[in-house]
Amino acid sequence: MASKVRNLRITQTKQLLINAFFNLASKKDFEKITIADITKGAKVNRATFYAHFNDKYDLIDFIMGDFASASIENHTSGVVKFDQDSINQLILAVCDFYQQPNIECRSSYGGLVLPQMQEKILNELRVFLSKSLEHIYTDIEKNMFVPIFAQIIHEGALQLALGNHTMKKEEVSRKIALFVIIGSQSLEGALR
């Protein structure tokens, strides 16, 4: 019981720190946000902040990783499969991920947040795809093809998020998913 209470308190404290950061991010450039600002907004002391994060860069890294995994989890409902519908959901998840962060995108966040977002979502895609291809490809084949599939899914979703198309979001994601699946089936045939 004490462990549950402790874990809940840790989660609540992290959320307070994240909320305080978001509140500050809408008002200040990242470089000007201090740990003191964050702890004051969260109503905790500096030691509490450092018990959870090394610095503000670690905090934003945690936020991006949390966004990435939550986005994929929400769209796939935790079901790990390699089929057209699952790939379609991954594409929509990545698109939503790029549109989701609550950071009022001040100019100072672009160079910092966007590379982190890309790294986090690509990592989550690789994890999902590795699991979903477990019984389809050998480990050597997975090591080669998972990063390729992840990049295709990522780039297609990024084009959706940026609005670089005239088609409906669902239509574009369906076509990209079909492209990935047909490509995968072609590879399977060539490898066997």
Side-chain angles (χ1 to χ4, degrees), residues 32-51:
K32 294 182 180 170
I33 295 174
T34 65
I35 302 304
D37 293 334
I38 297 168
T39 57
K40 182 179 176 185
K43 296 181 173 81
V44 299
N45 63 35
R46 288 178 72 84
T48 300
F49 177 89
Y50 288 113

Side-chain angles (χ1 to χ4, degrees), residues 35-140:
I35 302 304
D37 293 334
I38 297 168
T39 57
K40 182 179 176 185
K43 296 181 173 81
V44 299
N45 63 35
R46 288 178 72 84
T48 300
F49 177 89
Y50 288 113
H52 296 281
F53 303 106
N54 295 326
D55 53 27
K56 65 184 182 180
Y57 298 96
D58 190 30
L59 170 64
I60 203 163
D61 189 59
F62 176 81
I63 291 168
M64 291 302 116
D66 196 39
F67 278 170
S69 59
S71 185
I72 288 177
E73 175 70 27
N74 290 342
H75 276 273
T76 62
S77 302
V79 177
V80 180
K81 292 188 337 189
F82 191 79
D83 59 16
Q84 189 173 350
D85 184 54
S86 295
I87 301 302
N88 186 45
Q89 291 305 312
L90 285 177
I91 294 162
L92 294 172
V94 174
C95 183
D96 287 353
F97 169 72
Y98 278 111
Q99 295 172 337
Q100 174 181 351
N102 285 331
I103 296 174
E104 304 278 323
C105 249
R106 301 169 65 84
S107 61
S108 69
Y109 293 95
L112 174 72
V113 174
L114 292 177
Q116 277 187 295
M117 289 178 76
Q118 182 174 341
E119 176 190 330
K120 295 297 179 184
I121 199 66
L122 279 168
N123 185 54
E124 290 295 323
L125 285 171
R126 287 189 292 267
V127 167
F128 183 96
L129 291 167
S130 289
K131 288 178 185 173
S132 69
L133 292 167
E134 193 75 25
H135 302 293
I136 299 172
Y137 290 129
T138 66
D139 286 343
I140 292 170

Side-chain angles (χ1 to χ4, degrees), residues 23-36:
N23 185 37
L24 289 163
S26 67
K27 300 172 188 167
K28 285 180 140 181
D29 287 337
F30 182 78
E31 299 84 31
K32 294 182 180 170
I33 295 174
T34 65
I35 302 304

